[in-house]
């Protein structure tokens, strides 16, 4: 359960067993939905490695997953 303490300007996030405290004006959530097309010589592992490197370089956090799909968006 998340907890907001506006008087202190703090926002608590419970992530699995960890409680993270941050300023309420320092957090934004963005939901991503879509399909990424990569070259034939690349795969999901290469994409995820590059994507997570990008996220970590900006000191952001990503929670979610990925999977390979066909051209119609159906799971392989």
């Amino acid at each position: 359960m998340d907890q907001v303490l506006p008087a202190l300007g703090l926002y608590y996030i419970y992530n699995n067993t960890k409680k993270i405290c941050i300023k309420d004006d320092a957090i934004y959530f963005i939901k991503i939905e879509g399909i990424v097309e990569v070259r034939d010589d690349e795969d999901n592992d290469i994409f995820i490695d590059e994507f997570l490197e990008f996220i970590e370089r900006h000191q952001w956090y990503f929670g979610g997953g990925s999977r390979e799909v066909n051209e119609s968006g159906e799971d392989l």
Side-chain angles (χ1 to χ4, degrees):
M1 172 172 24
D2 294 348
Q3 180 181 9
V4 179
L5 300 173
L8 300 176
L10 300 177
Y11 184 77
Y12 291 93
I13 301 173
Y14 297 86
N15 182 1
N16 294 334
T17 59
K18 194 164 43 172
K19 181 179 176 183
I20 303 167
C21 175
I22 53 179
K23 296 281 288 176
D24 63 352
D25 60 350
I27 187 167
Y28 300 93
F29 296 96
I30 299 169
K31 183 175 184 175
I32 300 172
E33 294 181 25
I35 295 175
V36 176
E37 183 177 337
V38 298
R39 296 188 315 258
D40 285 342
D41 62 337
E42 298 179 326
D43 62 10
N44 186 49
D45 291 336
I46 292 171
F47 169 76
I48 286 300
D49 288 346
E50 293 290 326
F51 177 71
L52 292 177
E53 185 178 303
F54 170 77
I55 295 294
E56 291 169 358
R57 187 171 58 245
H58 287 86
Q59 298 179 348
W60 298 338
Y61 170 80
F62 174 75
S66 70
R67 62 186 182 277
E68 292 187 24
V69 297
N70 64 19
E71 293 150 351
S72 302
E74 299 165 337
D75 291 347
L76 292 179

